[in-house]
Amino acid sequence: MKKTFILIFFLLIGIGAAACGGDGGGNTPPSDPAELKSFHLAGVCTGTVIEAAADYDASGSGPHKIALYSQNSFDGDIYDIMFPSQTDIPEAWTTAVDQPFSDIELVGCLARTETTLVDTCEGYEIDEEEREGTVEIYDAMYELTIYAAKTGEVVGTATIETFMDECPSFVMFSTGSGEDLVEERYGNPDDALVGLVESYVNP
């Protein structure tokens, strides 16, 4: 029996203005730690040193707070914040995104490095559409790199292997007019992150 799902159109307007936050400097890291935001520390994943970030001393007692970011699927130069609800990271190990990131010592950057097509799932009917959607599911390899935010020093790396073994039962297709209704789904690395970062957060 074919399934019926919803076609969602995402209209992303004004994101650049929102990211600037009115500070006049765009994503340029501020000198005042109290003004550090999540998008400032995302720059650590692409080589930016955050001089206003908290010092990281591996010999000190924890928690050494960490902010986790994942590489954007469409632009490899962009890293998106990973919320605690996405990663099962205890809230005490990180900072809420609506708060200053002045106490973040570590930045973890997750990048997908390899993919293997497992299956092509078909027969997803779209509400009020004559077209059908298709989902490609992939096993995937990820590389996690952990940096000291203040210095940019790499303090740890890990490889995560993930697997996809069944077609999803629910899909929200995001596509524009005239585009193919094909979604890609990858193995989820989030469950492994707690164990991988714990030795750095709580040495």
Side-chain angles (χ1 to χ4, degrees):
M1 180 178 180
K2 294 183 178 178
K3 311 171 187 72
T4 301
F5 298 94
I6 301 172
L7 175 62
I8 303 293
F9 290 90
F10 292 98
L11 184 59
L12 304 178
I13 298 178
I15 289 179
C20 292
D23 63 7
N27 291 347
T28 302
S31 58
D32 183 353
E35 296 178 0
L36 281 175
K37 304 296 184 183
S38 63
F39 58 82
H40 293 130
L41 272 76
V44 174
C45 297
T46 52
T48 300
V49 173
I50 311 294
E51 295 182 358
D55 287 312
Y56 170 66
D57 180 1
S59 63
S61 60
H64 301 289
K65 288 195 171 185
I66 189 169
L68 293 174
Y69 298 84
S70 60
Q71 190 176 39
N72 187 281
S73 297
F74 302 101
D75 187 339
D77 292 329
I78 296 176
Y79 281 76
D80 304 314
I81 187 72
M82 300 178 72
F83 299 98
S85 60
Q86 295 176 277
T87 62
D88 293 329
I89 295 293
E91 292 184 2
W93 294 7
T94 190
T95 297
V97 295
D98 61 346
Q99 299 298 315
F101 269 40
S102 55
D103 56 355
I104 294 293
E105 302 176 23
L106 298 169
V107 171
C109 307
L110 190 69
R112 190 166 57 237
T113 56
E114 296 180 25
T115 62
T116 302
L117 180 64
V118 174
D119 197 2
T120 298
C121 312
E122 300 177 336
Y124 294 90
E125 292 186 350
I126 313 302
D127 283 353
E128 300 180 358
E129 291 278 339
E130 295 181 357
R131 298 179 294 170
E132 291 185 350
T134 299
V135 178
E136 297 175 344
I137 61 175
Y138 295 81
D139 293 341
M141 297 283 287
Y142 295 84
E143 186 74 19
L144 174 67
T145 306
I146 301 176
Y147 300 89
K150 190 177 185 72
T151 64
E153 176 190 3
V154 175
V155 300
T157 61
T159 299
I160 307 171
E161 189 173 6
T162 66
F163 303 93
M164 289 286 287
D165 56 9
E166 61 182 34
C167 296
S169 58
F170 179 79
V171 179
M172 297 175 67
F173 290 93
S174 56
T175 182
S177 177
E179 296 180 12
D180 293 334
L181 293 176
V182 179
E183 289 289 318
E184 298 175 351
R185 294 291 181 91
Y186 300 90
N188 191 337
D190 299 341
D191 294 341
L193 291 176
V194 173
L196 290 174
V197 306
E198 184 172 15
S199 60
Y200 301 96
V201 175
N202 287 312

